[in-house]
Amino acid sequence: MPEYKAPLREIKFVMDELLDMPAHYASIPAYAEVATPDMIDAILAEGAKFCEQELAPLQRVGDIEGCTRHEDGSVTTPTGFKEAYAKFVEGGWPSLAHDEAHGGQGLPESLGTVMSEMVGTSNWSWGMYPGLSHGAMNTIDLHGTDEQKHTYLTKLVSGEWTGTMCLTEPHCGSDLGILKTKAEANADGSYAISGTKIFISAGEHDMAENIVHIVLARLPGAPEGTKGISLFIVPKFLPNEDGTPGERNAVTCGSIEHKMGIHGNATCVMNFDGAKGWLIGPENKGLNCMFTFMNTARIGTALQGATAAEASFQGALAYAKDRLAMRALTGPKAPEKPADPIIVHPDVRRMLLTQKAFAEGGRALVYLAAQQNDIVKKGETEEERKAADELLGFLTPIAKAFLTEVGYEATNLGVQVFGGHGFIAEWGMEQLVRDTKIACIYEGTTGIQALDLLGRKVLMTQGASLRNFTKQVHKFCQAEEGNETLAPLVATLAEYNKEWGDLTMKIGMAAMKNRDEVGSASVDYLMYSGYVTLAFLWARMAKVAQEALANGTSEEEFYKAKLTTAKFYFARVLPRAKGHAISMLAGADTVMDLAEEHFAF
Amino acid sequence: MPEYKAPLREIKFVMDELLDMPAHYASIPAYAEVATPDMIDAILAEGAKFCEQELAPLQRVGDIEGCTRHEDGSVTTPTGFKEAYAKFVEGGWPSLAHDEAHGGQGLPESLGTVMSEMVGTSNWSWGMYPGLSHGAMNTIDLHGTDEQKHTYLTKLVSGEWTGTMCLTEPHCGSDLGILKTKAEANADGSYAISGTKIFISAGEHDMAENIVHIVLARLPGAPEGTKGISLFIVPKFLPNEDGTPGERNAVTCGSIEHKMGIHGNATCVMNFDGAKGWLIGPENKGLNCMFTFMNTARIGTALQGATAAEASFQGALAYAKDRLAMRALTGPKAPEKPADPIIVHPDVRRMLLTQKAFAEGGRALVYLAAQQNDIVKKGETEEERKAADELLGFLTPIAKAFLTEVGYEATNLGVQVFGGHGFIAEWGMEQLVRDTKIACIYEGTTGIQALDLLGRKVLMTQGASLRNFTKQVHKFCQAEEGNETLAPLVATLAEYNKEWGDLTMKIGMAAMKNRDEVGSASVDYLMYSGYVTLAFLWARMAKVAQEALANGTSEEEFYKAKLTTAKFYFARVLPRAKGHAISMLAGADTVMDLAEEHFAF
């Protein structure tokens, strides 16, 4: 099994050198006092230790044991999960990035993202238990009454309770407009919730004393479709007056799904049999309320792609240095051994560098989004909050879909580096593949993200959100034109950046005649956007490295490796965008011409 | 779980209309009498029934139960596997394509490939038990003594016994030159074999009364490396004088691997503790002997890619017609239902068409290779055998690596079409992903195939093998230039075909200065070759369809679907080759510049 080592140097590179997080924190009044560099270093060191020592060793246990549902509907999590969670709560980790008003430490949400990266890379399935609480906390924080905040939010922030998001039903996931779960008013102001929810991550478990379900349901007579959905808080145990968990509510785990991966996480079918719940937010505005923090949730899933790439890269790199096979084509590199370590072979290096480029580039993209999220939440002026929100909205579908797709690819490369051993469970590489596939699906599939990007974010703004971003890229390219080291990268980036706008224009024109052009082009458009966005970030990382080298540094090899990886990305990965560019312009006829009944004979 | 329906119309399209197998069989004296159209139709119909009814229902059972090793080293296969195998033997399927001299039915090996396709699509893990026997049969047929053939081959042909290939050891797979298993001469002319072999598919099981292991081992004092390896027959039970299985040999299953997929197949660690074996073929020529049928084995694995695409396509298509979500962007298509079936959405269609293009294109490529294999084995003249062998040698690494990579992609698309349900085991889609990943690894990884193609097949022949193929493509393009329907496809194909030669020339030149250029470019080169080879086959299939439509047909929609799929492939899949073209020319520095110790800090 690959051993996890938190890549603190890499994390600091993105935080301090690429995104200047210290200045960013200093500029936000809510963070200026608490998020000091010393504090952050201490937290990261402590967090790294926790993830390396407590969570990574449970990664394979979780896969092997999975979760067990008992006859009474209770669920036992894998050996060690519960104890690790207790230490997590004891260490104060759940409250890290929450408001002090609710018992939080008031640290930046982006710092929480960094911690989530380390948690997720060491053990994604475990991380989903505290991770799912975020959705519940966001909902209550943004839309709950003071009483609801007092009763639920403080318990969630402390980690004593965990939360879930109950959206999906057997017949609907992406299309929540057709959901059937019902909510009927009780005399006491509460509601009786009835229906079946599926795919509920962390829906039932033994790690916390109570579970707070946020449930989408329909009120009697509610309008059809997405405009008739309301949000409810449905706790597993109804809170007593003193806030302790009381009477058991009629919400139970009906079964645990048998899944491809993330076995350590209890993915539950949840039955609501007239369970007691309370409306949160306005009637029939449930989906709107949820959309207010959709970006945050999706960035959390984008992170899974980056963490998967990092975890698989760490495993594959160690193996590639150790495993002997063949001699280098240019002659023996380890003549004292029976064969050379496979890292001498160009194609093994191509695979490792691809993983590395996605892991490090992915981190940069996720942190950039997290930085915007800080501003959206706590920025000083309306203007900067609005600008950050726009950029975040544009980056979110790209980060979510592109990083999960390439993160998944990276896990598959990890298996491939191991050869036959990659297929064997003990090595842990195939688990990463199985655990990661779901990231391309939940929180909106790649197809859904692509429609969000091209349809809602780009075309519905007449391209404004894209232009805001390509302008940034353009400015960077202009500024670095004369930079000898960066010139080749910058020239390439500028071309793609221009083409991005041209492609958008063409699809926009075609879509005016035929709406199917959007759906036909969307995934190619999204992947193109992802490759170019990552190219921008790699060019910026190259710039940081080049400046450090020019200014003199004791870490010469570190910065040189950054430059080399950037060059690799531009030469060996970015060209894939060319194929997407051609494919997205091929026209909707290419996919719509075949009648449904003629797909097979 | 997807239900398997043997795509007989598609199979016949490739056999009869694309490759003119009837004429091919008629032209080979060994087959002319036996492989009549009526006979073939009857066999296919019977085979389809067997696979649909006996094997497909065991697909999920095999995954869930896996194989169980008992304390005595014996292995129980999943429920139903043994019984299905008994029926398979009773039906005479193992002997289908083997020489009558050894009890076979003397039918063409390509017909065996078609049957293997149906077996493999319905249940790949099950198919590996009879499948592995092929290696053993080929070895004995080509290199065994008459006595060895009499003792072993007839039992393998009848299916009473099965076989294995014991190559890999814990420390070596691709690099067999460093293997350690020893063979020491006994007084009676036999050898005592000692060592550990791993990843032995069908190494131990309860389906046949004896198992014939073909084992690679070293004789005392043998030269180091690949030139010191010999081949041995090591039966599980030593045959008695009368041919029945006698004394138990000292070869035992030490454990069964825990794998990502193909759980129904017993992948064994095999311990040879002075097991009795007999030399087969000349001393120290074991690897050469094995290479004589490497193409056949690799085509068998290429088939796994095509079957995976077909199986996943069948599952995803049925689901896409059934599952309701959202309305079509162009307005409701099923207004009487709460939402439209997801097949109305362009991106779902893009995924289905991608699967379809790989399944049908993959079948065409595998059958083309199988047709060459027929000629290699039974062609009338030395000249035609040699030409077929060259073409087969060129196509083999492309078919093996490209089809398994895109077949794996197709299984992932199948999961994606299902959304969250794709991640759930009951639907059977994620099993296809897990079962298929190994295809990119065993029988030589994608990286190994790529070196074989670019290094051995193309550059070592100074490009002759490539030119022989591109000439065929060129001739086709010239002939169809004036064909109005095909013109756009043909023009595109001609461009790629020319570029293929240009790219090869450039890499060849660069490789003369730096051998690492080969390894650096190889996988991109292989994928490029795969996309263009499949484009050639899709263009040829389009031609068949266009002619049928021009001549009048009662199956208009079938042929139109072929044309539409061909156009889809050219417009939406082939452009990926552009990215590979750029990437392969980027130079070895892109992967070699980073020092081993600077991949991570």
Side-chain angles (χ1 to χ4, degrees):
Chain A
M1 218 186 64
E3 224 174 277
Y4 175 61
K5 197 171 166 309
L8 288 175
R9 182 64 189 92
E10 297 291 346
I11 287 172
K12 294 293 281 177
F13 175 78
V14 176
M15 289 187 81
D16 297 353
E17 300 173 70
L18 180 69
L19 301 178
D20 200 0
M21 287 289 203
H24 159 75
Y25 293 145
S27 76
I28 296 177
Y31 298 149
E33 306 258 309
V34 282
T36 59
D38 283 357
M39 175 59 115
I40 286 171
D41 283 350
I43 289 172
L44 291 183
E46 204 54 41
K49 210 168 79 182
F50 181 81
C51 296
E52 290 169 359
Q53 296 179 359
E54 303 292 339
L55 300 184
L58 301 177
Q59 160 81 338
R60 192 156 143 65
V61 176
D63 188 55
I64 294 173
E65 294 186 9
C67 295
T68 311
R69 176 186 172 278
H70 307 288
E71 255 184 53
D72 63 354
S74 67
V75 167
T76 307
T77 53
T79 306
F81 270 42
K82 190 178 164 166
E83 291 73 15
Y85 185 74
K87 286 187 195 168
F88 188 73
V89 171
E90 199 186 304
W93 294 108
S95 66
L96 187 74
H98 291 280
D99 283 356
E100 292 174 44
H102 313 116
Q105 299 172 50
L107 283 156
E109 211 162 311
S110 58
L111 189 64
T113 301
V114 177
M115 181 61 185
S116 293
E117 180 203 318
M118 295 192 287
V119 168
T121 315
S122 57
N123 193 331
W124 188 267
S125 294
W126 186 93
M128 289 180 75
Y129 293 97
L132 263 290
S133 292
H134 281 291
M137 286 189 266
N138 276 320
T139 313
I140 300 170
D141 197 11
L142 287 166
H143 308 289
T145 62
D146 284 346
E147 196 196 326
Q148 287 169 340
K149 286 182 195 175
H150 175 73
T151 309
Y152 298 102
L153 194 50
T154 49
K155 298 284 192 180
L156 288 164
V157 166
S158 72
E160 286 165 275
W161 298 0
T162 66
T164 77
M165 300 301 299
C166 299
L167 285 64
T168 302
E169 300 185 4
H171 68 292
C172 68
S174 303
D175 189 1
L176 291 170
I178 55 176
L179 70 77
K180 293 175 181 168
T181 296
K182 279 186 291 194
E184 288 175 312
N186 294 323
D188 65 355
S190 70
Y191 292 82
I193 314 287
S194 302
T196 303
K197 296 287 182 178
I198 64 168
F199 303 163
I200 307 308
S201 303
E204 179 61 68
H205 57 78
D206 55 2
M207 286 160 64
E209 61 175 26
N210 202 1
I211 301 174
V212 182
H213 304 286
I214 304 292
V215 186
L216 290 184
R218 283 185 187 287
L219 291 167
E224 282 197 6
T226 52
K227 288 173 183 161
I229 296 171
S230 305
L231 264 179
F232 299 87
I233 301 186
V234 183
K236 176 178 169 185
F237 292 102
L238 301 172
N240 292 321
E241 289 280 313
D242 65 357
T244 57
E247 193 189 333
R248 183 72 167 84
N249 203 354
V251 47
T252 48
C253 169
S255 69
I256 294 181
E257 304 284 4
H258 302 106
K259 309 183 299 285
M260 183 180 187
I262 52 166
H263 293 165
N265 188 268
T267 306
C268 301
V269 174
M270 296 303 293
N271 298 322
F272 295 83
D273 301 311
K276 202 168 203 170
W278 288 270
L279 184 69
I280 179 166
E283 285 188 9
N284 300 328
K285 298 282 181 204
L287 272 195
N288 304 44
C289 290
M290 294 223 19
F291 272 113
T292 49
F293 61 86
M294 199 61 102
N295 289 336
T296 323
R298 289 180 168 175
I299 290 301
T301 310
L303 187 61
Q304 188 175 359
T307 62
E310 173 69 30
S312 188
F313 172 61
Q314 290 198 13
L317 177 59
Y319 189 77
K321 288 178 175 178
D322 188 57
R323 174 78 175 181
L324 308 178
M326 322 281 199
R327 291 298 180 188
L329 290 173
T330 50
K333 296 288 172 283
E336 74 288 2
K337 293 181 180 163
D340 288 337
I342 60 173
I343 199 170
V344 306
H345 304 308
D347 190 59
V348 171
R349 296 174 145 256
R350 182 189 60 82
M351 294 192 280
L352 292 170
L353 281 161
T354 305
Q355 294 185 299
K356 184 175 164 71
F358 288 144
E360 294 172 14
R363 176 179 297 114
L365 177 50
V366 170
Y367 287 14
L368 172 64
Q371 190 176 43
Q372 303 317 306
N373 193 42
D374 284 346
I375 303 173
V376 172
K377 294 270 173 69
K378 306 282 182 188
E380 224 182 336
T381 69
E382 172 66 21
E383 197 191 339
E384 64 187 19
R385 287 198 298 272
K386 194 163 166 273
D389 193 41
E390 269 174 23
L391 178 55
L392 179 61
F394 175 74
L395 290 177
T396 295
I398 298 175
K400 196 287 180 184
F402 177 73
L403 290 185
T404 57
E405 291 286 341
V406 300
Y408 184 63
E409 176 190 337
T411 63
N412 277 290
L413 290 173
V415 166
Q416 202 69 21
V417 168
F418 272 68
H421 294 277
F423 198 66
I424 305 299
E426 278 79 356
W427 290 97
M429 300 305 284
E430 60 88 38
Q431 182 186 343
L432 293 172
V433 174
R434 290 184 292 101
D435 284 357
T436 308
K437 182 67 210 165
I438 191 61
C440 308
I441 297 172
Y442 58 18
E443 287 297 333
T445 62
T446 299
I448 295 285
Q449 302 298 331
L451 283 179
D452 180 49
L453 175 68
L454 181 55
R456 281 168 51 100
K457 303 288 167 61
V458 174
L459 296 181
M460 268 173 66
T461 65
Q462 272 79 43
S465 62
L466 173 69
R467 271 194 305 278
N468 286 343
F469 190 73
T470 52
K471 259 187 226 161
Q472 279 190 39
V473 180
H474 180 68
K475 237 168 101 177
F476 173 84
C477 290
Q478 275 194 319
E480 303 304 328
E481 244 172 19
N483 183 325
E484 208 179 317
T485 312
L486 297 185
L489 304 189
V490 163
T492 305
L493 177 60
E495 271 172 47
Y496 279 95
N497 194 46
K498 182 181 174 308
E499 186 181 47
W500 200 358
D502 297 344
L503 292 166
T504 307
M505 186 77 83
K506 284 180 189 162
I507 296 169
M509 299 291 284
M512 282 162 60
K513 288 186 206 146
N514 179 3
R515 294 272 286 148
D516 276 334
E517 293 289 346
V518 178
S520 168
S522 55
V523 169
D524 279 312
Y525 184 84
L526 184 134
M527 293 305 290
Y528 183 95
S529 305
Y531 285 117
V532 179
T533 302
L534 224 61
F536 177 43
L537 287 164
W538 266 114
R540 285 173 58 185
M541 291 195 276
K543 187 191 164 191
V544 171
Q546 176 257 324
E547 280 176 356
L549 288 166
N551 297 337
T553 166
S554 62
E555 296 181 297
E556 204 167 308
E557 298 305 344
F558 175 80
Y559 291 109
K560 278 190 183 165
K562 278 277 166 289
L563 276 179
T564 310
T565 312
K567 285 180 196 163
F568 171 84
Y569 180 84
F570 271 79
R572 306 300 301 260
V573 180
L574 181 58
R576 301 176 188 181
K578 288 288 170 211
H580 292 294
I582 301 172
S583 179
M584 77 174 83
L585 294 183
D589 294 352
T590 56
V591 292
M592 300 312 291
D593 270 358
L594 195 59
E596 182 183 324
E597 60 273 30
H598 300 146
F599 271 71
F601 289 86
Chain B
M1 219 187 62
E3 224 174 275
Y4 175 62
K5 196 171 168 308
L8 288 175
R9 181 66 190 90
E10 298 292 348
I11 288 172
K12 293 293 282 178
F13 175 78
V14 177
M15 289 187 80
D16 297 352
E17 301 173 70
L18 180 70
L19 301 178
D20 201 359
M21 285 289 201
H24 160 75
Y25 293 144
S27 77
I28 296 177
Y31 298 150
E33 307 258 310
V34 283
T36 59
D38 284 358
M39 175 60 113
I40 287 170
D41 283 350
I43 289 171
L44 292 183
E46 204 55 40
K49 210 168 81 183
F50 180 81
C51 296
E52 289 169 0
Q53 297 179 359
E54 304 292 337
L55 300 185
L58 301 177
Q59 161 79 339
R60 191 154 143 67
V61 176
D63 188 55
I64 295 172
E65 293 186 11
C67 295
T68 313
R69 178 186 171 276
H70 308 287
E71 257 185 51
D72 63 355
S74 67
V75 167
T76 307
T77 53
T79 306
F81 270 43
K82 190 177 165 170
E83 292 73 15
Y85 186 73
K87 286 186 195 170
F88 188 73
V89 172
E90 199 186 305
W93 294 108
S95 66
L96 188 75
H98 290 280
D99 283 356
E100 294 175 39
H102 312 116
Q105 299 172 51
L107 284 157
E109 213 163 308
S110 57
L111 189 64
T113 301
V114 177
M115 180 63 186
S116 294
E117 179 203 317
M118 295 192 287
V119 168
T121 315
S122 56
N123 194 329
W124 188 267
S125 294
W126 185 93
M128 289 180 74
Y129 292 96
L132 262 291
S133 292
H134 281 290
M137 287 190 267
N138 275 321
T139 313
I140 300 171
D141 196 11
L142 287 166
H143 307 291
T145 63
D146 285 345
E147 198 195 325
Q148 287 170 336
K149 287 181 194 174
H150 175 74
T151 308
Y152 298 102
L153 195 50
T154 51
K155 297 283 193 181
L156 288 164
V157 167
S158 72
E160 286 165 277
W161 298 359
T162 66
T164 77
M165 300 301 299
C166 299
L167 284 65
T168 302
E169 300 183 2
H171 68 292
C172 69
S174 302
D175 189 0
L176 291 169
I178 54 177
L179 70 78
K180 293 176 180 169
T181 297
K182 278 185 291 193
E184 288 176 313
N186 296 323
D188 65 357
S190 69
Y191 292 82
I193 315 288
S194 302
T196 302
K197 296 287 181 178
I198 64 166
F199 302 163
I200 308 307
S201 303
E204 179 62 69
H205 58 79
D206 54 3
M207 287 161 64
E209 62 175 24
N210 203 1
I211 301 172
V212 183
H213 304 286
I214 304 293
V215 185
L216 291 183
R218 284 186 185 286
L219 291 166
E224 281 197 7
T226 53
K227 287 173 184 164
I229 296 171
S230 306
L231 264 179
F232 298 87
I233 301 185
V234 183
K236 175 178 171 186
F237 292 102
L238 301 171
N240 293 319
E241 288 281 313
D242 65 357
T244 57
E247 193 189 333
R248 185 70 168 84
N249 202 356
V251 47
T252 48
C253 169
S255 68
I256 295 183
E257 304 285 3
H258 301 108
K259 310 183 298 286
M260 181 181 188
I262 55 167
H263 294 164
N265 189 269
T267 307
C268 302
V269 174
M270 297 302 295
N271 297 322
F272 294 82
D273 300 310
K276 201 166 202 171
W278 287 271
L279 185 69
I280 180 165
E283 286 187 7
N284 300 328
K285 298 283 181 203
L287 272 195
N288 305 43
C289 291
M290 293 222 21
F291 272 113
T292 49
F293 60 87
M294 199 61 103
N295 289 335
T296 323
R298 288 180 169 175
I299 291 300
T301 309
L303 188 61
Q304 187 175 0
T307 63
E310 173 69 31
S312 187
F313 172 61
Q314 290 198 13
L317 177 58
Y319 189 78
K321 288 178 176 180
D322 189 56
R323 174 81 175 180
L324 308 178
M326 323 279 200
R327 293 298 180 187
L329 289 173
T330 52
K333 295 290 173 283
E336 74 289 2
K337 293 180 180 163
D340 288 337
I342 61 174
I343 197 170
V344 306
H345 303 308
D347 189 60
V348 171
R349 293 174 146 257
R350 182 189 61 81
M351 294 193 278
L352 291 170
L353 281 161
T354 305
Q355 294 184 300
K356 184 175 165 70
F358 288 144
E360 296 172 13
R363 176 179 298 114
L365 177 50
V366 170
Y367 287 14
L368 172 64
Q371 190 176 45
Q372 306 314 307
N373 193 42
D374 284 345
I375 305 173
V376 172
K377 293 272 173 70
K378 305 285 183 186
E380 223 181 338
T381 69
E382 173 65 22
E383 197 191 338
E384 63 187 18
R385 287 196 298 274
K386 195 163 166 271
D389 194 41
E390 270 174 24
L391 178 54
L392 179 62
F394 175 74
L395 290 177
T396 295
I398 297 175
K400 197 285 179 185
F402 177 72
L403 291 185
T404 57
E405 292 286 342
V406 299
Y408 183 63
E409 177 191 336
T411 62
N412 278 290
L413 290 173
V415 166
Q416 202 69 22
V417 169
F418 272 68
H421 294 277
F423 197 65
I424 305 299
E426 280 78 356
W427 291 96
M429 300 305 284
E430 60 87 37
Q431 182 186 343
L432 293 171
V433 173
R434 290 185 291 101
D435 285 357
T436 307
K437 181 68 210 166
I438 189 62
C440 307
I441 298 171
Y442 58 18
E443 287 296 333
T445 63
T446 299
I448 295 286
Q449 302 298 330
L451 284 178
D452 180 48
L453 174 68
L454 180 56
R456 280 169 50 100
K457 302 289 166 60
V458 174
L459 295 180
M460 269 174 64
T461 65
Q462 272 78 44
S465 62
L466 174 68
R467 272 194 305 277
N468 286 343
F469 190 73
T470 52
K471 259 187 226 162
Q472 278 190 40
V473 180
H474 180 68
K475 238 168 102 178
F476 172 84
C477 291
Q478 275 195 316
E480 304 303 327
E481 243 173 19
N483 184 326
E484 208 179 315
T485 313
L486 297 185
L489 305 189
V490 163
T492 305
L493 178 60
E495 272 173 44
Y496 279 95
N497 194 46
K498 183 181 174 308
E499 187 182 47
W500 200 358
D502 296 344
L503 292 166
T504 308
M505 186 78 81
K506 284 179 190 164
I507 296 168
M509 299 291 284
M512 282 162 59
K513 288 186 209 149
N514 178 4
R515 294 271 287 149
D516 276 334
E517 294 288 346
V518 179
S520 168
S522 55
V523 168
D524 279 313
Y525 185 84
L526 184 135
M527 293 305 288
Y528 183 96
S529 304
Y531 285 117
V532 179
T533 303
L534 223 62
F536 177 43
L537 287 165
W538 267 113
R540 284 173 60 183
M541 291 196 275
K543 187 193 164 191
V544 172
Q546 176 257 323
E547 279 176 356
L549 288 166
N551 296 335
T553 166
S554 62
E555 296 181 297
E556 206 167 307
E557 299 304 346
F558 176 80
Y559 292 109
K560 278 189 182 164
K562 279 275 165 292
L563 277 178
T564 310
T565 312
K567 284 180 197 164
F568 171 83
Y569 180 83
F570 271 79
R572 308 299 302 260
V573 180
L574 182 58
R576 301 175 187 182
K578 288 287 168 212
H580 292 295
I582 302 172
S583 178
M584 77 175 85
L585 294 183
D589 293 354
T590 57
V591 292
M592 301 312 293
D593 271 358
L594 195 60
E596 183 183 325
E597 61 273 28
H598 300 147
F599 271 71
F601 288 85

